[in-house]
Amino acid sequence: SGATIMEPTSDIFETIFGSHFQNHPPVQTGTVTVDFDNKLGPNMATVPSKFSHTDEFFNFTKNVCDDPDVTVIAYADESTYEGGLMGSKHPLAWYKEMGPNKARVFYSAMGHFSHFYNGTGPSHVTTILQAGLRFCCEGAQP
């Protein structure tokens, strides 16, 4: 199913990614806003700054937007769908660098359905995921 195995009582997931999945409303269409002013921006040049997206919009136990070590690159506009609990800055994808060696971490809550990956759906999700993977796998300049 792709579900996260670890329950919200585990600090491991929260330590690494900054938050836990809490719940999500039914699948629906909402607007995603993308921030290009970050290390991943150049690898996301083909993604529009706003786009319509149909998915499960995850709510989280904490808002990583409040963490100064996290850079959020995509937000859900909660005014465009029902069931959001994160407020005006609803994170959907983010990255950070952890520890003294600056280990790179990327998280995306988008792309729960096969059409995002099999060429029949919009390419925005795969482009964002590829940018995140490049960030994690490449050197200081993704």
Side-chain angles (χ1 to χ4, degrees):
S1 73
T4 304
I5 297 170
M6 301 184 110
E7 294 295 320
T9 55
S10 168
D11 339 354
I12 297 168
F13 201 83
E14 187 170 311
T15 298
I16 294 170
F17 294 103
S19 192
H20 273 279
F21 163 84
Q22 181 176 357
N23 61 38
H24 65 78
V27 174
Q28 57 193 298
T29 301
T31 300
V32 173
T33 302
V34 178
D35 181 356
F36 296 97
D37 189 22
N38 56 64
K39 292 179 181 179
L40 275 61
N43 288 320
M44 299 188 310
T46 61
V47 177
S49 59
K50 284 189 178 194
F51 60 91
S52 181
H53 183 69
T54 302
D55 211 334
E56 298 172 337
F57 289 97
F58 281 12
N59 293 305
F60 300 97
T61 55
K62 290 169 60 175
N63 194 326
V64 296
C65 296
D66 299 331
D67 184 338
D69 295 327
V70 170
T71 301
V72 178
I73 63 168
Y75 302 89
D77 179 347
E78 289 190 354
S79 72
T80 62
Y81 72 97
E82 294 180 10
L85 303 175
M86 304 303 298
S88 62
K89 290 285 191 173
H90 184 135
L92 291 178
W94 61 85
Y95 69 87
K96 69 177 187 173
E97 295 175 320
M98 288 181 60
N101 293 329
K102 300 204 177 283
R104 292 173 171 210
V105 175
F106 173 77
Y107 180 88
S108 174
M110 295 184 286
H112 292 95
F113 306 104
S114 62
H115 71 273
F116 292 116
Y117 311 103
N118 67 13
T120 63
S123 64
H124 310 319
V125 170
T126 54
T127 301
I128 291 169
L129 290 174
Q130 287 171 349
L133 290 171
R134 281 189 189 102
F135 169 75
C136 289
C137 295
E138 294 180 355
Q141 296 299 317

